[in-house]
């Protein structure tokens, strides 16, 4: 039952309002996931990619329906920590903030693959994600946004280069009076 899970996942937060809000969010998630499946299918069929992000410890990552979504689209997991992306607390220290990105994009994977906290090397550098920092940790740091833009830029550039290459090959074939397919078919 979602009511029991809300209590288990959030020890110390036992207000009826919080539990009701958790149920409301659960209902929204269940209602929206089938639409996300349709959008993901469409994006992938058009040559696009998908990225799904939640905090790493989010309960929903472990749900069977989410695991099915991840498997269905072959999503790659990329663990990311805010401290590796310049996420800072109110006192200027680093915020560990763990996110997980699930993506079909090798470009997203590539730009974020090294954004996991080294652990001991950062010992004593982190501020707690409580109090004022809890709210602050709910926002993406600028470096994270820049990395997403970098991945998108690489994706677009590669796509344009691929299209340009195909167009140039087609033009060359037309000028020579042959079609690449007809040459390969003739050779077999």
């Amino acid at each position: 039952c979602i009511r029991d899970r809300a209590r288990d996942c959030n020890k110390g937060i036992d207000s009826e309002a919080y539990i009701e809000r958790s149920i409301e969010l659960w209902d929204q998630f269940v209602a929206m996931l089938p639409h996300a499946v349709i959008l993901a299918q469409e994006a992938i069929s058009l040559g696009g990619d998908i990225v799904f992000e939640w905090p790493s410890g989010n309960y929903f990552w472990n749900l069977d329906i989410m695991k099915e979504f991840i498997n269905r689209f072959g999503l790659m997991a990329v663990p990311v920590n805010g401290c590796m992306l310049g996420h800072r607390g109110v006192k200027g220290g680093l915020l560990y903030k763990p996110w997980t990105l699930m993506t079909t994009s090798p470009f997203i994977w590539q730009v974020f693959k090294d954004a996991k906290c080294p652990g001991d090397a950062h010992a004593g550098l982190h501020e707690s994600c409580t109090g004022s920092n809890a709210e602050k940790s709910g926002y993406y740091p600028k470096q994270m946004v820049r990395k997403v833009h970098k991945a998108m830029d690489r994706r677009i550039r590669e796509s344009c280069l691929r299209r340009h290459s195909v167009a140039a090959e087609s033009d060359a074939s037309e000028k020579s009076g042959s079609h690449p397919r007809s040459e390969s078919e003739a050779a077999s």
Side-chain angles (χ1 to χ4, degrees), residues 74-123:
L75 302 182
M76 301 174 284
V78 189
V80 175
N81 297 118
C83 59
M84 297 301 291
L85 300 166
H87 211 7
R88 300 239 172 229
V90 294
K91 295 178 184 172
L94 296 169
L95 292 179
Y96 174 74
K97 180 63 181 209
W99 283 287
T100 296
L101 307 176
M102 290 285 186
T103 185
T104 57
S105 171
F107 301 96
I108 290 288
W109 185 87
Q110 184 66 38
V111 299
F112 283 105
K113 70 181 173 72
D114 297 323
K116 183 143 173 63
C117 182
D120 290 344
H122 271 189

Side-chain angles (χ1 to χ4, degrees), residues 27-94:
D27 290 343
Q28 287 177 9
F29 171 74
V30 170
M32 290 173 60
L33 191 59
H35 301 285
V37 169
I38 293 167
L39 288 171
Q41 287 171 327
E42 188 67 15
I44 291 168
S45 76
L46 295 171
D49 287 300
I50 57 173
V51 181
F52 210 102
E53 172 276 325
W54 273 330
S56 294
N58 191 304
Y59 173 79
F60 286 172
W61 284 129
N62 295 313
L63 296 174
D64 289 340
I65 56 174
M66 197 60 212
K67 288 178 183 178
E68 289 170 19
F69 184 91
I70 291 165
N71 290 333
R72 179 178 190 164
F73 295 107
L75 302 182
M76 301 174 284
V78 189
V80 175
N81 297 118
C83 59
M84 297 301 291
L85 300 166
H87 211 7
R88 300 239 172 229
V90 294
K91 295 178 184 172
L94 296 169

Side-chain angles (χ1 to χ4, degrees), residues 116-172:
K116 183 143 173 63
C117 182
D120 290 344
H122 271 189
L125 300 177
H126 295 121
E127 287 184 34
S128 173
C129 279
T130 58
S132 300
N133 284 340
E135 182 178 347
K136 194 170 173 100
S137 76
Y139 296 92
Y140 298 132
K142 287 181 183 178
Q143 285 183 38
M144 186 174 191
V145 174
R146 286 186 188 116
K147 283 184 176 286
V148 169
H149 288 191
K150 183 178 183 179
M152 291 171 64
D153 183 62
R154 286 181 181 172
R155 170 79 161 89
I156 291 167
R157 287 175 190 270
E158 183 175 291
S159 180
C160 289
L161 286 173
R162 195 175 313 127
R163 273 194 233 123
H164 178 73
S165 175
V166 169
E169 184 180 300
S170 177
D171 287 347

